[in-house]
């Protein structure tokens, strides 16, 4: 059995930090991005395409996709499933609806 050269950084319960909207938030290793944000009072980190309503954790098990964020430039990351290693930059994700064309279109493209 081998041991890590930096055991405290990999042990469960060790502190990890993420950055979100210019703030650093601390959590413990094993917590998800959603868990860290919720534990620090952040309730929403995405907006809906229609109506721009705030969204955060809904199902908490990766089924509903309400908790999507961008982590270090990677889009469509489910915050309820992603366990950060520490130092990740998490940003809100907001996608506009695709432009509808044709006789039923209600917007300008």
């Amino acid at each position: 059995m081998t041991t890590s050269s930096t055991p405290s950084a990999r042990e469960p319960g060790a502190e990890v930090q993420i950055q979100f909207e210019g703030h650093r938030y601390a959590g413990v290793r094993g917590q998800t991005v959603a868990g860290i944000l919720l534990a620090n009072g952040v309730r929403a980190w995405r907006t809906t395409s229609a109506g721009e309503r705030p969204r955060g954790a809904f199902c908490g098990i990766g089924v509903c996709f309400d908790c999507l964020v961008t982590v270090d430039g990677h889009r469509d990351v489910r915050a309820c499933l992603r366990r950060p290693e520490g130092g990740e930059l998490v940003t809100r994700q907001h996608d506009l609806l695709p432009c509808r064309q044709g006789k039923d279109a209600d917007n300008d493209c």
Side-chain angles (χ1 to χ4, degrees):
M1 176 184 246
T2 61
T3 59
S4 172
S5 61
T6 56
S8 62
R10 298 275 180 206
E11 289 179 11
E15 182 178 287
V16 294
Q17 290 191 0
I18 60 173
Q19 185 173 339
F20 179 72
E21 296 193 331
H23 301 282
R24 291 204 172 275
Y25 294 104
V28 294
R29 184 160 308 283
Q31 269 186 306
T32 62
V33 169
I36 293 171
L37 292 173
L38 288 169
N40 284 280
V42 180
R43 302 287 180 248
W45 46 84
R46 182 180 81 81
T47 56
T48 60
S49 297
E52 298 185 21
R53 292 181 297 273
R55 292 291 186 262
F58 180 71
C59 73
I61 58 173
V63 175
C64 73
F65 294 87
D66 251 5
C67 64
L68 291 179
V69 293
T70 300
V71 178
D72 291 336
H74 299 281
R75 297 177 41 76
D76 300 328
V77 175
R78 288 174 281 181
C80 69
L81 298 179
R82 177 70 152 79
R83 288 180 168 77
E85 292 295 317
E88 286 88 341
L89 174 61
V90 178
T91 56
R92 286 183 189 273
Q93 188 165 314
H94 174 74
D95 298 313
L96 298 176
L97 289 173
C99 185
R100 295 187 320 177
Q101 296 181 356
K103 66 178 185 160
D104 296 327
D106 60 359
N107 56 13
D108 295 325
C109 295

